[in-house]
Amino acid sequence: MAVRLSVSGHEVSDLCLGKPSLRSISITDTIADAINAIKKFGHSYLSVWNCHHSLTDKKPKTLIANQREADFRCECIGRVCMVDVICFLCKPDNLSSPYAALQSPVSVLFDGDSSSLVRHIQPNARLLEAIDAMYEGVQNVVIPILDEKRWKKKENETLDFNILHNDDRAYCWLTQEDVMRHLLNSIRVFSPSPATDSIITLGIIDTQNLFVLYYDDPASSALELLKSAIVHQSSVAVVDPQGKLIGEISPFLLNSCDEAVAPALATLSAGDVLFYIDCGGPPNDLVQLVKERLYEQNHGAAVELLGEETRLPSWSSFSSTSSEEDVCSSGKNWKLGGYSSRVVRRSEAIFCYPWSSLVAVMIQALAHRVSYVWVVQEDGTLTGIVTFQGMLKIFREHL
């Protein structure tokens, strides 16, 4: 028990060593500003702050509520990613005027109280505090970086962005992945523990927050599902008529795209979108199909967003790297020819079985840099999903 307490008593700063400072944009910056910052710095997510410290190299904007800068407390109120931008651009009005939509403030990307997804925690807080916050649904725990002199020196040397806020501090954020890696590295501390138990025995297979589309469903049906998937840090599964898992439209994959994929999501089927974003560049026949459908829907302006020769970035493979039977693997064996002919490796979803052990699922998720693993039966039928949030519940009970 003493050893377990030593793990739970770790401070969050122990997990922040070497983490880069948050690159930030202001809540009053535009969506175009956010896109430029994402592409410039190659980050999947950007922190959004209520102050004027921004990557956009603009002059400081008026502070919220006209507070004096000396009295104003900079605070991270959310985060944005390319998926947020893509879903916003897929709306009919924005498809008709994409360039006008890009001038909207990033605040339009936030639904309701997005601040509930972010929480500020002091660096001397216990790891348990961060775990409790994440289990409550907080996506990112924002923590001040202790080595201020290091960041002040770096800021003086780097003039293209501002990393210090009004308290002369830089910040980083702690994610569920960071915590899960720490727990996996300390897995022996929990022995004997539930880590070797099956996920069905532990009761962490989520069947309620399961976001699913059929292969022939319009991909536009995924837009609201994607927003929910971001909140739950999961994905949208694509299945065949028998309910067998074919692939996924994941935030992870879409974050590697750019805004030009929005017209495809708005016009193609879910299955065609998998093919569209999976080949390092969309096939000409699908590009032409998107253009034709955009004109039919009076969204001709969105065709310019595609360009004459659309080029999308390449993506990391989602294929399995483990040879152990108990560890989740890519589902090739049970794919149906009619549905798999256009779906290639990069959209294959990572899956496990109900009898897979918790530690095996942890390893597979961390190896593929995802925060979830699909759960299927032997024939490939989708039955649920296991997320980091569900795993954290088990470890929290034993801490």
Side-chain angles (χ1 to χ4, degrees):
M1 178 62 69
V3 179
R4 293 185 185 178
L5 287 174
S6 69
V7 174
S8 63
H10 283 174
E11 295 182 351
V12 292
S13 59
D14 297 335
L15 278 66
C16 296
L17 296 176
K19 288 184 72 69
S21 64
L22 283 180
R23 288 178 163 86
S24 61
I25 60 174
S26 169
I27 191 66
T28 54
D29 282 332
T30 67
I31 291 177
D33 292 331
I35 292 175
N36 290 334
I38 289 172
K39 292 180 178 179
K40 181 177 181 180
F41 294 98
H43 285 226
S44 297
Y45 294 91
L46 291 176
S47 60
V48 181
W49 293 67
N50 64 344
C51 50
H52 64 257
H53 305 285
S54 174
L55 296 169
T56 58
D57 296 327
K58 292 182 177 181
K59 294 180 180 180
K61 296 181 172 63
T62 303
L63 293 174
I64 294 177
N66 295 319
Q67 289 179 277
R68 292 187 306 132
E69 184 169 0
D71 300 329
F72 190 79
R73 179 176 180 269
C74 295
E75 185 176 6
C76 179
I77 58 175
R79 66 178 191 176
V80 296
C81 63
M82 189 59 74
V83 179
D84 298 316
V85 173
I86 291 170
C87 290
F88 177 72
L89 291 176
C90 283
K91 295 180 179 179
D93 291 345
N94 297 332
L95 278 177
S96 300
S97 304
Y99 299 105
L102 292 176
Q103 299 309 309
S104 303
V106 293
S107 57
V108 301
L109 300 179
F110 293 98
D111 293 329
D113 184 15
S114 61
S115 61
S116 62
L117 304 180
V118 178
R119 184 171 301 175
H120 283 254
I121 290 181
Q122 292 303 310
N124 60 351
R126 290 200 306 162
L127 177 59
L128 277 181
E129 185 176 342
I131 292 177
D132 286 340
M134 291 175 180
Y135 183 66
E136 292 170 10
V138 174
Q139 293 182 354
N140 291 100
V141 175
V142 179
I143 303 166
I145 295 177
L146 292 175
D147 192 355
E148 297 177 12
K149 294 182 180 179
R150 171 190 171 196
W151 292 110
K152 287 181 180 179
K153 179 180 178 181
K154 186 169 183 178
E155 187 194 40
N156 291 333
E157 296 172 351
T158 310
L159 301 178
D160 60 338
F161 64 90
N162 193 338
I163 60 175
L164 295 181
H165 293 271
N166 285 350
D167 55 3
D168 288 330
R169 277 185 165 182
Y171 291 79
C172 67
W173 54 23
L174 196 67
T175 65
Q176 289 183 355
E177 180 181 346
D178 296 324
V179 173
M180 293 304 296
R181 287 189 183 278
H182 179 73
L183 293 175
L184 182 62
N185 290 335
S186 308
I187 200 68
R188 292 181 180 227
V189 172
F190 296 90
S191 182
S193 75
T196 55
D197 292 341
S198 68
I199 55 176
I200 190 170
T201 301
L202 295 171
I204 59 173
I205 301 176
D206 190 350
T207 59
Q208 300 298 318
N209 300 305
L210 195 60
F211 311 116
V212 182
L213 286 179
Y214 286 102
Y215 185 90
D216 291 323
D217 284 343
S220 57
S221 304
L223 298 179
E224 290 302 318
L225 297 179
L226 278 169
K227 293 180 181 178
S228 298
I230 290 175
V231 172
H232 292 279
Q233 300 196 46
S234 61
S235 183
V236 179
V238 180
V239 301
D240 70 10
Q242 286 71 47
K244 295 180 179 180
L245 184 64
I246 296 172
E248 62 178 1
I249 303 177
S250 72
F252 178 84
L253 186 63
L254 288 177
N255 273 338
S256 299
C257 301
D258 63 21
E259 67 276 14
V261 79
L265 274 172
T267 56
L268 297 177
S269 68
D272 280 340
V273 162
L274 294 182
F275 189 53
Y276 189 97
I277 64 180
D278 235 0
C279 302
N284 290 333
D285 61 331
L286 285 183
V287 172
Q288 186 58 37
L289 179 60
V290 172
K291 291 181 178 180
E292 291 174 358
R293 290 181 177 176
L294 286 173
Y295 276 121
E296 291 174 1
Q297 298 171 14
N298 297 318
H299 297 314
V303 175
E304 298 179 18
L305 196 62
L306 287 168
E308 292 299 322
E309 294 184 0
T310 303
R311 292 290 181 265
L312 298 181
S314 57
W315 293 267
S316 301
S317 174
F318 277 79
S319 61
S320 173
T321 58
S322 175
S323 59
E324 294 183 22
E325 289 183 0
D326 189 39
V327 176
C328 327
S329 58
S330 293
K332 303 187 187 76
N333 297 334
W334 39 261
K335 283 193 172 184
L336 301 180
Y339 289 90
S340 63
S341 60
R342 284 195 127 181
V343 181
V344 294
R345 290 180 63 186
R346 294 182 183 88
S347 66
E348 286 181 351
I350 303 304
F351 71 88
C352 66
Y353 301 101
W355 53 86
S356 297
S357 68
L358 173 59
V359 69
V361 177
M362 288 175 63
I363 292 172
Q364 192 72 358
L366 290 171
H368 290 88
R369 303 299 302 275
V370 293
S371 56
Y372 58 90
V373 177
W374 301 107
V375 183
V376 301
Q377 298 296 335
E378 278 190 282
D379 65 351
T381 302
L382 180 65
T383 59
I385 190 171
V386 177
T387 64
F388 279 164
Q389 188 173 6
M391 299 179 201
L392 283 173
K393 175 185 178 182
I394 299 300
F395 286 102
R396 179 63 182 88
E397 291 173 351
H398 287 74
L399 285 173

